[in-house]
Amino acid sequence: MHIENLDEKQAMLAAIIENSEDAIISKNLDGRITSWNRSAERMFGYTENDALGQLIYIIIPQDRHQEEAMIISKLKKGERVEHFETVRRAKNGKLIHVAISVSPIKNGQGQIVGASKIARDITQQKQYEERLQLMHSIGKVISAQLDVSTILQKVTDATTLIAGAAFGAFFYNKTDSKGEAYTLYALSGAKREDFDKFGMPRNTAVFKATFEGEGIVRSDDITKDPRYGKNAPHQGMPQGHLPVVSYLAVPVLSQGGLPIGGLFFGHPEAGVFNEEHETLVASIASQAAIALDNAKLYEEVNILSNKKDTFIGFASHELKTPLTTIKGYLQLAEASEISAKEILPKVSKQLARLEGIIADLLDISKIQAGKLDLHFNKSSLKEILVESIESVDFTDHMIELDHPSEDVELFADQQKITQVLVNLLSNAVKYSPAETRITVSALLMGDEVQISVSDEGEGISKEHLTSIFNQYYRVSSGKKTPKGMGLGLYISKEIIEGHLGKIWAESEQGKGSSFHIRFPVERPRYLNS
Ligand code: ADP
């Protein structure tokens, strides 16, 4: 009875060992394998027959042999080794992360004769931990970056690694200062030459979805995708392209939800990417988008700040010039080389110039503080036109004025509208050759008034036509560029927009430019209250 019971117990134990998910191995004190269960076969690739009698070193990587000595020395002292995380090697050479527990086996006399070893495969858990760590560190790294190319590269490297892709690419759509879109990209696991010769892939049916932000595209075999191979000129993967069978593409969306680029991964084998890869890459992509938004803001602030620095130097110079001239005249008068009567008009011209510069600077600081106060009053169109023309020196030009026969009452800030016109007229004088004609025309168009200033100067090329209204923006021509701070049109635009109107320029190079302002004649309704 007792013996039967023991048999039963042993049979039960054997069954448990055979069916365990963990590899259960026993060995003697020489390190030779004495038992090898089914999970050990599965995990390490050696059959029971292969393994029995072999030294346990068959599954221990060379650089970890000293671990076995440590384990044996513990066993000899009767100690157990519990949950020891290490790496073992399968028959095919693959390294497996395992957690092992080793207990001594004693014979009937209580002597230690060997050890039983339980090995649990923790590869997945390890991978998960590594990914988590990688995700954490990539998050930290990219959020600390403000340089677009560095962000692109770091994100591409990390996601290529996480997705287990053979190569990855990050295509990032950028708009330059002229509003034109272009693509920057970073590669991981592939050379730039591998991509450069094929042009941007954005227009193909497979790629398009990602660039349009339609969502993630994952394919176990992209060559079987119905959209694949439909696009000229390559009809599929261009010849010489890196071999892509498994394909994963994840759009990178800005915080506002707009597509700003895409991450693309490829692998020459089928079925490499899974749902988990999608989730991980998408999560990094959203962090990347925030970092890219920040980088963009930083870039813009930097550009503006540089412009401002240049401007401060420039404005100081502008202020100094009339002062130096005035000083010169005063010294001449002191030395009685020139009469006071002669210098007075010259000095007052320089003073007017100083006044103009200071007024512009004040306007700019008011605009920037959001305090450009407009004082709307009943104003006369005729007065505005005459006053503006009288304020500008047309000695070298012909001026022509064309306006409605009857005066028009406008509801406007007369002084500010005059300032805009003076600016347009001074520009016309400044940017057109002597002896040419400058025309001012005013007309009523429905309930709006439109005033235009046209010159016969060199004109403005199309690419600058809208930018000239930006602050500090100047077009430098090859020849000597006339004096200016690049503020006049910016201030004018602010003033006209304050009148709920608009300002724009038309130009034909070599023939001249026309600047138009148009705003409502009547008191804007929101000012009635
Ligand atoms: P500034 O004249 O001080 O440079 P503005 O803001 O008045 O600044 O003008 C911005 C730029 O627009 C000028 O630098 C010039 O290049 C261009 N511009 C303005 N008016 C004309 C014009 N009538 N003809 C040609 N270019 C012009």
Side-chain angles (χ1 to χ4, degrees), residues 55 79 99 171 174 185 194 210 252 321 330 369 378 509 526:
L55 284 173
E79 291 171 17
F171 292 90
K174 230 179 133 108
Y185 66 99
D194 294 332
T210 307
V252 179
T321 315
L330 291 178
K378 282 182 187 162
Q509 272 204 290
Y526 77 93

Side-chain angles (χ1 to χ4, degrees), residues 73-301:
S73 87
K74 280 201 160 192
L75 284 174
K76 282 185 175 162
K77 284 187 252 164
E79 291 171 17
R80 282 169 54 90
V81 173
E82 282 189 72
H83 199 88
F84 176 64
E85 289 193 10
T86 182
V87 175
R88 290 294 177 253
R89 198 184 54 225
K91 193 177 176 185
N92 63 6
K94 201 172 148 197
L95 294 175
I96 307 160
H97 286 278
V98 287
I100 56 176
S101 299
V102 191
S103 316
I105 301 175
K106 293 178 184 166
N107 64 10
Q109 286 80 49
Q111 289 165 318
I112 297 164
V113 289
S116 77
K117 181 168 179 170
I118 302 177
R120 173 161 295 177
D121 186 345
I122 54 165
T123 307
Q124 269 196 331
Q125 184 193 329
K126 271 275 164 228
Q127 274 175 354
Y128 181 70
E129 280 171 15
E130 275 169 15
R131 276 182 196 154
L132 216 62
Q133 218 167 23
L134 193 62
M135 295 278 288
H136 182 67
S137 62
I138 184 72
K140 253 176 42 188
V141 168
I142 60 174
S143 62
Q145 281 298 332
L146 286 169
D147 172 61
V148 171
S149 324
T150 317
I151 295 171
L152 295 187
Q153 194 57 55
K154 289 207 183 291
V155 170
T156 315
D157 289 342
T159 46
T160 305
L161 188 72
I162 281 178
F167 44 84
F170 190 155
F171 292 90
Y172 174 57
N173 290 331
K174 230 179 133 108
T175 320
D176 64 15
S177 56
K178 287 177 201 148
E180 274 165 34
Y182 67 102
T183 307
L184 265 184
Y185 66 99
L187 300 171
S188 197
K191 292 193 293 295
R192 210 146 251 270
E193 304 90 87
D194 294 332
F195 276 74
D196 275 348
K197 51 189 169 199
F198 305 120
M200 287 301 135
R202 51 182 315 157
N203 293 323
T204 66
V206 178
F207 272 97
K208 217 168 136 204
T210 307
F211 280 112
E212 288 176 359
E214 274 174 27
I216 295 173
V217 179
R218 174 162 59 90
S219 170
D220 284 342
D221 186 345
I222 194 67
T223 60
K224 299 208 172 78
D225 190 291
R227 289 166 293 184
Y228 178 82
K230 300 274 192 298
N231 286 86
H234 301 303
Q235 314 295 347
M237 221 82 69
Q239 237 195 341
H241 193 287
L242 294 160
V244 178
V245 178
S246 284
Y247 173 84
L248 174 65
V250 178
V252 179
L253 305 175
S254 75
Q255 276 164 294
L258 293 171
I260 55 174
L263 275 159
F264 299 84
F265 305 96
H267 199 286
E269 287 160 29
V272 168
F273 306 123
N274 58 35
E275 212 168 304
E276 195 196 352
H277 295 134
E278 268 185 38
T279 318
L280 293 171
V281 173
S283 145
I284 296 182
S286 63
Q287 295 184 43
I290 298 173
L292 288 169
D293 277 351
N294 288 342
K296 205 168 113 197
L297 281 178
Y298 179 72
E299 216 171 88
E300 282 168 8
V301 167

Side-chain angles (χ1 to χ4, degrees), residues 427 430-431 455 460 468 473-475 484-486 488-489 513 515:
N427 278 350
K430 229 167 34 168
Y431 299 105
D455 62 55
I460 306 154
I468 49 175
Y473 196 95
R474 306 200 70 221
V475 186
M485 295 195 290
L489 290 179
S513 318
F515 283 81

Side-chain angles (χ1 to χ4, degrees), residues 308-326:
K308 220 169 199 167
D309 286 347
T310 322
F311 169 73
I312 288 172
F314 188 68
S316 321
H317 175 77
E318 281 286 293
L319 286 169
K320 217 175 149 202
T321 315
L323 281 178
T324 316
T325 317
I326 292 173

